[in-house]
Amino acid sequence: MTRLRQDSYAIEAAALEAENPLPAFRAPEPDRAVPCAESLPAEERTGLGWAAGTRVLPYRMQDAYTRLRRPVRLPALILENERLRATFLPGLGAKLASLVDLDTGRELLERNPVLQFTNVALRNAWTSGGVEWNLAQLGHHYLTCAPVFASAIVSPGGAPGVRFHEFERCKRLLWQLDVHLPPGSAFLLVSTRVVNLNLTEVPMYWWTNIGVPEGPGIRTLAPADEALGAWKDGRWSVERLPRDPDETYPARAGRAMEQFFRLAPARRPWIASLGPDGRGLVETSTDRLRGRKMFAWGTDAAGQRWQRHLAVPGRAYYEIQAGLARTQLHSLPMPGEAAWSWTEAFGSLAADPAVTHGPDWGAAWKHAEAALDRALPAGELDAWHARLTALHGQPAGDTLQAGSGWGALERLRMEAAGEALPPGFAFPDATLGPEQQPWLALLRDGALPAGDPRADPGAWMLQPEWERLLERSLERPA
């Protein structure tokens, strides 16, 4: 039996204060120059660095926090069946803070004992641990430390589920996570939909970042014999796995490092973090989400300082990740008015440690893949994907938490232009707040209201549709 309940999440947390009123301008160049070794294959160079320049506006920076932490209780949504318990924090971008295997009592994620903001995300504030959903632009998502909409939904067969959704202002995208935990299932299913509201193509970016414990004997496995990375004088190249030292064991990385596994086109996409006993977390997905990555802070002084800063002394973690493109420096062209979807599964994996930690890398990952195929066959995940995506446009039930008012403002602007949001996305008028009021006045009255030049300038807007409304208001006779 599956249950969904609202609860509170006890943690020591720093306070995140008001947003910075000053604008953060984008990088001078929209693309990023990426140095490559001569040996890097041509197919890996295509699109490398495209639209990877820093871009924050119209969002404002979140840089008002300290290291003073106190006990708090955050709103949480808990989805649980007989085998798994998943805890989400809708006030922090729908972070999956904890995933417990109830068969063994094992926490599968890095459940950070503190909530410490640090200058890592696109808007500055970021916290480590759990599972984070990153959309639109290279970096940690604009809403990773902000509330998003959460609503109750009904899964196939009548079990409860939860929907998270928001309006992404930078590229005018809609995103939605429908989370399902079928009765008796050992896997949490997250069905994602992203909709491009524009008539034109946008550079699309998505990476699911999964924090997992780091320690001696913990190894990352993925279905690839090669990886991409900037190992040679900062130049990107392809190398055989495992490298020397074998950094598929994150505790062996001497300094901060990342490697992108080069999955073959026909291989099932997945990645796992397995301990010395051959057990741990596995993430797999339907075919659209094909990128896989491992990131570690490293064992040098700088890496250890970051670990202590983000959590507490003696607490180490690393990340396994899943994305749309081969690397995070690639964006994919998403056509105008397109809707993309995929389904991820998160659960426990058990394999023979003599093989998964053996000297033969290929044998290790193929053995883990066979264990995954037994636990959750690819065809079964594809069948779930078909059933779950059919529900994407269905209206949700009770609102469990409200997000921002920007979605409601965009809905009203679209309605005024004779357009409509795709079904399944609800942005109630009740969420409109002070930030949206000047723009609402422009929409309804044809002009921005007069303001005090000494006051906070308010929320920024770069969306071309609003720029045109503003230009028309300036053309009106006085």
Side-chain angles (χ1 to χ4, degrees):
M1 179 178 178
T2 302
R3 297 177 296 166
L4 172 65
R5 70 180 190 274
Q6 294 179 273
D7 207 332
S8 61
Y9 187 79
I11 192 168
E12 284 197 2
L16 183 59
E17 305 295 344
E19 296 175 356
N20 191 326
L22 301 177
F25 297 110
R26 69 176 64 188
E29 299 296 332
D31 302 332
R32 181 178 297 190
V34 181
C36 300
E38 292 183 4
S39 60
L40 187 70
E43 65 267 26
E44 306 297 359
R45 297 171 184 261
T46 303
L48 190 62
W50 178 46
T54 301
R55 181 177 178 180
V56 176
L57 284 175
Y59 297 98
R60 304 205 297 188
M61 299 300 284
Q62 297 174 300
D63 54 7
Y65 53 83
T66 69
R67 293 195 59 77
L68 179 63
R69 298 191 293 261
R70 61 182 180 84
V72 300
R73 302 192 74 88
L74 304 176
L77 294 173
I78 299 176
L79 191 62
E80 182 176 4
N81 69 2
E82 303 87 345
R83 306 189 67 184
L84 279 177
R85 181 170 62 245
T87 302
F88 291 89
L89 304 180
L92 290 172
K95 180 192 283 280
L96 175 57
S98 170
L99 184 64
V100 178
D101 179 352
L102 298 177
D103 292 336
T104 63
R106 185 171 187 159
E107 172 63 66
L108 298 176
L109 302 175
E110 167 55 22
R111 182 171 179 168
N112 196 334
V114 301
L115 188 69
Q116 178 58 60
F117 300 105
T118 306
N119 183 11
V120 172
L122 283 163
R123 298 171 67 193
N124 186 307
W126 181 78
T127 63
S128 66
V131 180
E132 175 192 34
W133 324 95
N134 297 293
L135 170 73
Q137 193 68 24
L138 171 64
H140 295 277
H141 188 218
Y142 303 113
L143 302 179
T144 192
C145 289
V148 299
F149 286 91
S151 306
I153 57 174
V154 178
S155 299
V162 61
R163 172 174 296 169
F164 301 101
H165 75 278
E166 251 301 354
F167 172 58
E168 198 292 294
R169 300 177 63 208
C170 186
K171 294 185 178 176
R172 195 168 173 250
L173 304 170
L174 296 172
W175 67 272
Q176 165 186 342
L177 304 176
D178 282 3
V179 183
H180 305 268
L181 185 57
S185 174
F187 285 87
L188 180 76
L189 304 176
V190 180
S191 185
T192 301
R193 174 171 64 149
V194 178
V195 180
N196 179 8
L197 291 175
N198 305 283
L199 297 175
T200 55
E201 173 186 287
V202 297
M204 176 59 186
Y205 175 97
W206 179 281
W207 281 82
T208 302
N209 288 16
I210 307 159
V212 288
E214 178 189 290
I218 292 178
R219 191 180 205 185
T220 305
L221 295 172
D225 292 321
E226 296 176 324
L228 289 119
W231 296 300
K232 298 177 180 178
D233 301 322
R235 296 178 299 158
W236 281 75
S237 62
V238 172
E239 293 196 13
R240 295 284 298 178
L241 290 171
R243 300 174 63 249
D244 185 19
D246 184 355
E247 292 173 332
T248 64
Y249 290 91
R252 298 180 186 177
R255 59 181 182 176
M257 59 79 64
E258 60 183 7
Q259 54 187 358
F260 295 87
F261 295 95
R262 203 165 182 239
L263 277 63
R267 293 242 69 99
R268 176 184 187 179
W270 61 271
I271 191 167
S273 172
L274 303 182
D277 59 356
R279 294 178 176 269
L281 174 79
V282 64
E283 180 275 348
T284 185
S285 70
T286 49
D287 201 54
R288 184 179 287 278
L289 202 70
R290 291 208 57 79
R292 292 300 185 275
K293 172 192 170 182
M294 176 191 130
F295 167 80
W297 285 109
T299 57
D300 63 359
Q304 293 305 297
R305 188 161 54 248
W306 271 106
Q307 295 270 31
R308 291 193 301 273
H309 184 72
L310 288 162
V312 294
R315 189 92 180 195
Y317 84 101
Y318 77 108
E319 289 188 358
I320 55 176
Q321 305 179 10
L324 284 174
R326 178 79 84 186
T327 79
Q328 289 169 328
L329 286 169
H330 291 85
S331 296
L332 297 183
M334 185 176 190
E337 299 185 297
W340 287 357
S341 63
W342 58 88
T343 298
E344 292 181 84
F346 303 83
S348 183
L349 188 69
D352 183 351
V355 183
T356 57
H357 293 283
D360 187 330
W361 164 256
W365 70 254
K366 288 172 185 175
H367 175 73
E369 185 174 75
L372 172 61
D373 288 340
R374 290 190 296 271
L376 181 64
E380 183 179 330
L381 181 58
D382 288 340
W384 272 112
H385 175 66
R387 290 196 290 270
L388 300 183
T389 54
L391 301 177
H392 280 171
Q394 296 296 314
D398 294 340
T399 298
L400 306 174
Q401 174 166 303
S404 76
W406 295 110
L409 182 67
E410 180 62 8
R411 174 179 58 78
L412 292 172
R413 189 207 61 77
M414 292 178 68
E415 290 172 356
E419 304 169 0
L421 290 173
F425 291 99
F427 298 107
D429 286 354
T431 59
L432 292 165
E435 285 190 319
Q436 291 81 41
Q437 290 307 315
W439 302 101
L440 188 61
L442 174 63
L443 178 65
R444 293 178 171 172
D445 305 331
L448 288 171
D452 182 348
R454 298 167 297 180
D456 184 318
W460 310 101
M461 187 72 78
L462 294 184
Q463 190 175 316
E465 293 84 356
W466 288 99
E467 290 180 9
R468 287 192 286 271
L469 287 173
L470 184 57
E471 289 170 356
R472 289 175 198 158
S473 75
L474 298 175
E475 294 168 358
R476 296 174 60 188

